Amino acid sequence: MVHLYLSALRFDFRCPTLQRLVEHLAETTHQPLDCYTRALYAFALLGQSRPEGLTVMDEVLTEAEEHPKTLHVLLHGLWFGQDLDEGAERLLALSSRPALATGTGTGTGTGPIVLFRVAGALRRMDRYDEGLGAIDREIDCLPPGDTSVHADLVRERSLICAARGLHQHRSPTRTSSGVPS
């Protein structure tokens, strides 16, 4: 029951509340927290772009090995923590783990949620064409009418295109009378 409630907070992106609840659980229980609960704690910290979340994540990864649900929680935290130092690079490394290969028929073996998060990381790293390629491959492989993931993929595709357009159209510093503005 605890996992259900904590997971609901995760999907509501209520990171500070999730953090407080897990910390309270750790203080009141007389046994160590299970790996999945600690992954949710890492998510809460990562989602707030708190660097200590990376340390908790590394500890969880040592124990979780290739448990897909636990890895997805950590991937989600890296995706949501937009201001983490090397967060995008860490997301790409985590996404390449065998447990996150779900065999969707894309040829990569990676599922749509993983590719969605990978595309976001590639966008944050200014690797727009690779991000678009990942999104386009996944959109093409979705079954007709699969709206559960389609909207997220299309939204990320739009973000990548907008970021690429801004990047391509940045003009050098304009000068007026020889003085940079």
Side-chain angles (χ1 to χ4, degrees):
M1 196 66 158
V2 172
H3 284 173
L4 288 175
Y5 187 69
L6 296 176
S7 292
L9 291 173
R10 169 188 162 207
F11 287 110
D12 285 345
F13 299 103
R14 294 185 51 199
C15 296
T17 302
L18 178 56
Q19 176 188 348
R20 283 191 304 275
L21 282 175
V22 175
E23 288 170 350
H24 179 73
L25 273 174
E27 292 170 6
T28 58
T29 59
H30 300 291
Q31 52 190 331
L33 296 175
D34 64 277
C35 188
Y36 188 75
T37 300
R38 288 194 335 274
L40 288 166
Y41 183 62
F43 168 84
L45 296 172
L46 294 168
Q48 297 173 79
S49 294
R50 297 193 43 196
E52 60 267 32
L54 295 169
T55 303
V56 176
M57 181 184 84
D58 289 338
E59 293 167 0
V60 169
L61 284 171
T62 300
E63 186 179 335
E65 297 176 350
E66 293 297 318
H67 187 260
K69 289 185 181 197
T70 302
L71 296 179
H72 272 285
V73 170
L74 299 173
L75 195 71
H76 195 192
L78 288 169
W79 171 79
F80 194 57
Q82 294 287 309
D83 295 323
L84 288 166
D85 189 35
E86 296 186 14
E89 293 83 357
R90 302 271 313 252
L91 188 151
L92 291 179
L94 183 58
S95 71
S96 68
R97 292 181 73 138
L100 293 175
T102 58
T104 61
T106 62
T108 65
T110 304
I113 298 301
V114 174
L115 282 176
F116 166 70
R117 299 201 196 295
V118 163
L122 292 168
R123 173 178 43 82
R124 288 165 41 195
M125 297 169 67
D126 299 334
R127 292 167 53 185
Y128 309 116
D129 292 337
E130 289 175 73
L132 285 173
I135 289 287
D136 289 344
R137 281 190 308 277
E138 193 55 42
I139 287 174
D140 194 46
C141 291
L142 287 175
D146 186 355
T147 58
S148 63
V149 178
H150 190 267
D152 288 335
L153 293 170
V154 169
R155 187 172 37 256
E156 180 58 42
R157 189 180 197 294
S158 295
L159 286 171
I160 293 169
C161 288
R164 182 181 64 181
L166 286 172
H167 185 79
Q168 289 173 344
H169 290 83
R170 279 189 196 143
S171 61
T173 305
R174 296 176 187 250
T175 60
S176 172
S177 304
V179 177
S181 58

